[in-house]
Amino acid sequence: MFRQLALLLLASSLTTPAVAQTGPAAQPTAPGGDVTRATLGNGLRVVIVRDPLAPVVTVEENYLVGANETPPGFPGMAHAQEHMAFRGCAGVTADQIAAIYAQLGGSDNADTQQNITQYFTTVPAADLEVALRVDAACMRDVLDSNAEWMLEKGAIEQEVARDLSEPTYKFITRLNQNLFAGTPYAHDALGTRESFEKTTGALLKAFYRRWYAPNNAILVVAGDVDPDATLAKIKELYGSIPRRPLGRRPAVVLRPVKQESFTLDSNLPYTLAFIAYRLPGTDSPDYAAARVMADVLASQRGDLYALVPAGKALYANFELAETYPKASVGFSVAALPASTAPTAVVADMRSIVANYARQGFPAELVEAAKRSEIASAQFRRNSISDLAAVWSQALAAEGRNSPDDDVEAIRRVTVADVNRVAMQYVKDSNSITATLVPKPTDEATSGKGFGGGESLTAAPTKPVKLPDWAEAALSTLRVPTVNPTWTDTMLPNKLRVIVKNDKTSPTVTVLGNIRHETTLQEPPGKDGVSDVLDELFSYGTTTLDRLAFQKALDDIAASESAGYDFSLRVTKTDFARGIELLADNLLHPALPAQAFDIIKQQTAEYLEGQIKSPGYQADHALKVGLLPPGDPALRDPMPQTVSSLTLDEVRKHYAATFRPDLTTITIIGDIDPADARTAIEKYFGGWMAQGATPDPTLPPVPNNSGKDFSVADPEAVQASVTLAEEVGLTRFDPDYYAIQLGNNVLGGGFYATRLYHDLRQVAGLVYNVDDSFTAGRTRSVYTVTFGSDPPNVAKARDLIVRDLRAMQMENVTPEELHQAKALLLRQMALQQSSEDAIAGILLARAQIGLPLDESRRMGQRYYDLTADEVRAAFAKWIRPQDFVQVIRGPQP
């Protein structure tokens, strides 16, 4: 529970496609290894990074403009222009852009930061030219019509409302105003409703012309590509885009920090206490030392984290955030039970950081932090999209020559550097103290289901005629080929081990799961025993105490977590030692009495705050609406059930539920399968289970009836709405595929799909609307979620019900069926673009009981499905009148 507490520091992002451009004659530099560089005659810088991990490529266009360059009074101008880049570009309409990216697999997005705006998409390598053509069209010109802005304005204002409902976002906003007063960093890229109301299409176009130019952009292409052919295509598509004169960039002149403290109300179930400092920015030669310093302060062997095992905090860490060129932000943070005053822990954090600065940082922890940073750089190569992102960050955001510059800077950091940076920057006079205090809410109020619904009143989206170059590339559907290049073995103790060799980097990733159903397996009256057990794994083993175990991990630059879900990330050379430590933690946890007493008390105190929080009340209301009375899944840990636990009961629960015959381990990376199995057998082979294998599977449930619940959240600006219902089919039912295909007619492809088209593109009622179908062994839930202004909830819900009824009454169009199939089939290919994704898919299939090569059957099934089958499945299984509706937000 507490190990999962992490700060979500919100960045402005957009789940949409986007585009970019270039200019005349290019002069490539000599490729360095798998990296090819060029600068076109119009100034566009191009970097192509070859990575044969999978037949996938990521295109990331970086414009060197962001919140810094927005005009006075229009703090969200760069963000608004980011949105408008998918509302129509040179030669491609908004509908065409949406349809193209949907058929490419729907993996496209954009974000606006302080000094860059990024558009990125991941597509099958065979479709690279299509992605480049759309990107180049938007660099050439963007429509930016006032009519389109009036439609998009509602959506971006809902994004503002969503973020303003997040307490950590409000904290960061206030913090930046204090730390960076008088500079462009004082406001982030999100923008305000007031500024968007003043924004016009003409103002947006002027901003675009000032900054969106090939000579102000860096194009990064990473993946399984031919660099020479790719560069030739980029010259062809971008080379004729003319360079343009750029606007004047504002100066960033930092003022001294004025020490301050503030408190904000929160809808979180715990108190958060922060002490923030202004640190060196990415332009500073001290930035690398600041990163290492932050890592040491965050170390689980450090004094800050020690607040957790001492029982003084639920969670404690040091974060490096807001990394701008001229400055960055670092802060210590502690999470406390809602009922605990933060005064003591703030004093402790302040004293701990001051002692490090005054006495110096331990050399051993500095070296461990450096090893960890260098290892992390290797792991980032294991994802094609991450590879493009780190190159973009290094070149566009930080002005480096390559990501290796950051690694080399880390290597050069000395203990003296860290101590000097700490003495200069981490001091009380340079700090801001903040506290986020939770405000409890009442229980959810219920009412009758909204029922009814309306008949179809609008025809489905009209077919989109694609440009010839897109039509030619996307008209043919391809079922992805699946080569079972993994080994799948069962050890004598029935532990399943799946290994896939991949030499992308000299690293290995291990993911594992022990099948477990908390609400079935916890003894009556002992709800929460699994949560307490899970926390105890961070307290070492019977042979290595907490600090010694963490040191052993630090010595090999490995990251590890243990519990019902467990993982290990380790370099190739230290794989066997990493497996030894993972097995020691899983099979021989210390479960110390002193730690148990602290965790039991902390968990009970945490639950006191959680059960009064809007988030819990909304989740609980949804379960009550979906499930019959007395269902095991309605069990929740309560303060009193946790307080009654004994250590012996925790140990018995561990013995009963941690079993090799319920466990699967997936291993992927630069490791020979035989060597991997040898290590697993050596360290896990002696793990034995007693008695027959239990079946931790929840029983089926009947269909629910419609109900409404309302949860007050005074801190929210936006109403967050969930519509959900139990569906009678399971993951193994043939109709599963028809429902998923229909879901991608409704959503998944942004404006090219019905829900986004109707609720966002046309009506402007929402920022996000997401539909999902989660199917398990015995239970399945169909869900639609969205956020809107409270007065618009009913309008948005009615449109959703209308679109669902349309799926039941009329066949989807041939164009929609083709697009949904293209989206799903290409998504299957894109799932191979990172080692973590591959390992996660194999693990999930093994644990639910699907064949590991399920992609073969899935792809062919999607390819063969007809519109009749989709309509029949929705008519049979989906019941719009029976949705459980939960609205969390400000009361009307």
Side-chain angles (χ1 to χ4, degrees), residues 570-882:
V570 65
T571 58
K572 170 186 177 178
T573 54
D574 292 308
F575 173 75
R577 176 57 173 160
I579 291 295
E580 180 182 15
L581 291 170
L582 175 65
D584 194 28
N585 199 7
L586 276 171
L587 308 187
H588 311 291
L591 307 181
Q594 182 179 4
F596 166 73
D597 291 337
I598 291 172
I599 288 174
K600 182 173 74 167
Q601 178 182 345
Q602 288 180 326
T603 304
E605 292 174 335
Y606 170 82
L607 291 171
E608 287 279 6
Q610 184 189 46
I611 61 178
K612 299 173 184 176
S613 69
Y616 172 84
Q617 293 292 342
D619 291 343
H620 184 70
L622 185 63
K623 290 198 296 183
V624 169
L626 290 174
L627 301 172
D631 188 85
L634 290 172
R635 294 178 62 183
D636 278 331
M638 290 289 144
Q640 57 271 28
T641 61
V642 169
S643 296
S644 70
L645 292 173
T646 66
L647 181 55
D648 186 56
E649 288 168 336
V650 173
R651 288 173 172 158
K652 286 180 178 178
H653 190 65
Y654 167 80
T657 58
F658 273 68
R659 303 174 57 102
D661 49 354
L662 291 174
T663 302
T664 299
I665 296 176
T666 58
I667 303 170
I668 184 169
D670 191 5
I671 185 75
D672 182 86
D675 293 340
R677 173 169 172 151
T678 297
I680 296 295
E681 283 184 317
K682 179 177 181 179
Y683 296 111
F684 284 91
W687 185 18
M688 296 298 170
Q690 302 298 317
T693 305
D695 182 11
T697 304
L698 287 166
V701 290
N703 289 339
N704 61 277
S705 58
K707 296 183 181 70
D708 280 2
F709 296 91
S710 179
V711 176
D713 188 348
E715 301 310 309
V717 177
Q718 183 185 70
S720 300
V721 185
T722 299
L723 305 173
E725 64 179 19
E726 293 282 349
V727 180
L729 70 111
T730 72
R731 176 60 183 85
F732 305 95
D733 193 296
D735 278 346
Y736 165 83
Y737 304 98
I739 296 292
Q740 290 289 27
L741 185 62
N743 248 17
N744 283 274
V745 172
L746 287 165
F750 200 58
Y751 285 167
T753 47
R754 293 186 181 184
L755 291 177
Y756 265 103
H757 175 271
D758 294 348
L759 276 75
R760 176 169 166 169
Q761 186 180 20
V762 174
L765 298 174
V766 305
Y767 173 65
N768 279 115
V769 54
D770 299 299
D771 57 331
S772 63
F773 178 49
T774 305
R777 291 171 179 261
T778 56
R779 302 181 178 196
S780 301
V781 178
Y782 189 88
T783 307
V784 182
T785 59
F786 65 91
S788 72
D789 287 334
N792 292 332
V793 168
K795 298 176 188 176
R797 182 196 66 201
D798 286 346
L799 287 173
I800 291 166
V801 171
R802 185 199 72 186
D803 285 352
L804 285 169
R805 292 198 180 281
M807 296 291 295
Q808 299 174 315
M809 295 165 58
E810 296 182 8
N811 282 353
V812 300
T813 66
E815 293 79 11
E816 287 178 310
L817 189 68
H818 176 91
Q819 177 179 283
K821 288 181 178 182
L823 192 155
L824 282 167
L825 292 172
R826 283 183 168 85
Q827 279 181 345
M828 291 168 58
L830 299 184
Q831 288 172 344
Q832 308 301 308
S833 65
S834 79
E835 287 190 354
D836 275 8
I838 295 169
I841 289 169
L842 293 174
L843 179 62
R845 287 176 181 166
Q847 290 298 69
I848 198 174
L850 288 167
L852 297 183
D853 63 348
E854 161 67 3
S855 296
R856 293 185 181 185
R857 178 177 63 172
M858 184 186 299
Q860 194 61 50
R861 184 73 181 114
Y862 286 143
Y863 184 88
D864 292 337
L865 276 169
T866 67
D868 279 333
E869 289 175 295
V870 173
R871 177 187 48 76
F874 269 76
K876 180 179 180 180
W877 297 110
I878 306 303
R879 312 175 318 281
Q881 73 279 5
D882 286 338

